[in-house]
Amino acid sequence: KAGVTQTPRYLIKTRGQQVTLSCSPISGHRSVSWYQQTPGQGLQFLFEYFSETQRNKGNFPGRFSGRQFSNSRSEMNVSTLELGDSALYLCASSAEGQYYGYTFGSGTRLTVV
Amino acid sequence: DQQVKQNSPSLSVQEGRISILNCDYTNSMFDYFLWYKKYPAEGPTFLISISSIKDKNEDGRFTVFLNKSAKHLSLHIVPSQPGDSAVYFCAASARSGGYQKVTFGTGTKLQVIP
C-alpha cells in the first residue's frame, strides 16, 4: 500500500513569488491535512480537506490556500511568498473515523530567498 | 491558545536508561492521545496511542501513561537506544463539528547518547 506522496521534496523560491505543493494521500483516505513545521513552533495546522471541501482551517493568512480534487489529491498554494514562509510543509492523510491519527508524507522543504 | 504543550524542547539521555517525555493538555474534551516520532527530512510517524478511558498503554519499549485529573501524559522509552534520537510530538484528538480534530504539541527533541 503506497504511502502519502508529496512533491516536490525541495523547493527554492524568491520572495514575492507563489508556490504550489502537491500531496497524494493513501488510497481510500478522503481526509488530507496540511501542516507547517518550523524550528521551535512544532506542527502548525494549516487546513484540512475532506471530500473536496475545506472543513477546518488554522490561523494562517489568506496567502495560504488549498484545494482537494475528486481523487482526494490535494494542493496547497502560497502566494506572495515571504522569508518567514520557509519551512517544512507536511501533508497527512487519514480515513474517516480513524482514531489512531494520521499518516504523514515526507514533506516539502520550501526555502524562500 | 496552545491546547497541547510540550514544555521541554530537548532531552538528553544515556543509552540504556529511561527516557521520559512529557505532555500537558488543557482541553478536557480530548478523547484520544497519540505520540509521533520524527526524523530530520522525514514526516512524523505514528508511535503509540492511548484512549482517554485507559491510563496506560504499552508497546514493546514504549509505554504511554495518561493522568486525566492532571491533564498530563507521558511517554516512557525503556531502554533508550541511539536510534530513538528524534523529535517526539504529542497529539490529542477530540470530536469537533462531527469529526475528529487533532492538535499537536511543539515537540521534544530526544538525544540518546551512546
Side-chain angles (χ1 to χ4, degrees):
Chain A
K1 185 170 173 181
V4 178
T5 303
Q6 289 189 248
T7 56
R9 287 296 308 272
Y10 302 94
L11 208 47
I12 300 175
K13 288 286 188 178
T14 303
R15 192 171 42 181
Q17 287 187 312
Q18 69 96 27
V19 67
T20 299
L21 312 181
S22 178
C23 171
S24 293
I26 288 175
S27 178
H29 285 190
R30 292 192 292 166
S31 169
V32 173
S33 298
W34 288 89
Y35 287 84
Q36 181 196 65
Q37 187 196 7
T38 53
Q41 294 296 316
L43 296 173
Q44 302 287 309
F45 174 73
L46 282 152
F47 29 66
E48 182 201 3
Y49 284 87
F50 180 82
S51 292
E52 302 179 65
T53 300
Q54 186 185 91
R55 68 178 182 181
N56 202 5
K57 190 177 189 304
N59 297 321
F60 277 79
R63 300 185 297 106
F64 292 81
S65 63
R67 59 178 176 169
Q68 187 179 34
F69 302 95
S70 58
N71 61 358
S72 293
R73 189 179 71 86
S74 178
E75 287 182 348
M76 189 193 96
N77 185 78
V78 188
S79 63
T80 320
L81 284 165
E82 301 177 359
L83 296 179
D85 297 332
S86 295
L88 179 66
Y89 289 88
L90 292 159
C91 161
S93 77
S94 67
E96 186 65 359
Q98 181 182 352
Y99 276 64
Y100 43 91
Y102 300 142
T103 301
F104 283 87
S106 297
T108 294
R109 171 68 67 183
L110 172 65
T111 302
V112 182
V113 298
Chain B
D1 174 27
Q2 190 68 31
Q3 295 187 43
V4 179
K5 299 179 184 179
Q6 294 177 259
N7 293 317
S8 298
S10 63
L11 176 68
S12 288
V13 172
Q14 287 291 136
E15 181 179 3
R17 307 294 290 269
I18 183 171
S19 294
I20 300 176
L21 294 92
N22 294 303
C23 179
D24 296 298
Y25 62 95
T26 56
N27 187 349
S28 58
M29 299 303 292
F30 287 139
D31 59 0
Y32 212 78
F33 302 89
L34 311 98
W35 285 93
Y36 284 81
K37 175 179 176 179
K38 184 182 183 301
Y39 293 116
E42 293 182 14
T45 54
F46 170 74
L47 189 58
I48 192 170
S49 64
I50 187 168
S51 164
S52 61
I53 63 173
K54 296 186 175 181
D55 54 20
K56 177 182 174 182
N57 188 28
E58 229 173 317
D59 184 1
R61 297 186 297 113
F62 302 91
T63 302
V64 57
F65 295 92
L66 176 62
N67 182 334
K68 285 195 297 291
S69 60
K71 293 190 173 66
H72 176 85
L73 71 156
S74 61
L75 174 68
H76 292 209
I77 306 173
V78 183
S80 301
Q81 299 174 354
D84 296 330
S85 296
V87 177
Y88 289 79
F89 290 98
C90 166
S93 175
R95 195 137 189 105
S96 173
Y99 60 94
Q100 290 297 118
K101 183 178 173 183
V102 180
T103 304
F104 284 86
T106 51
T108 296
K109 184 175 184 178
L110 172 66
Q111 182 184 20
V112 180
I113 303 165

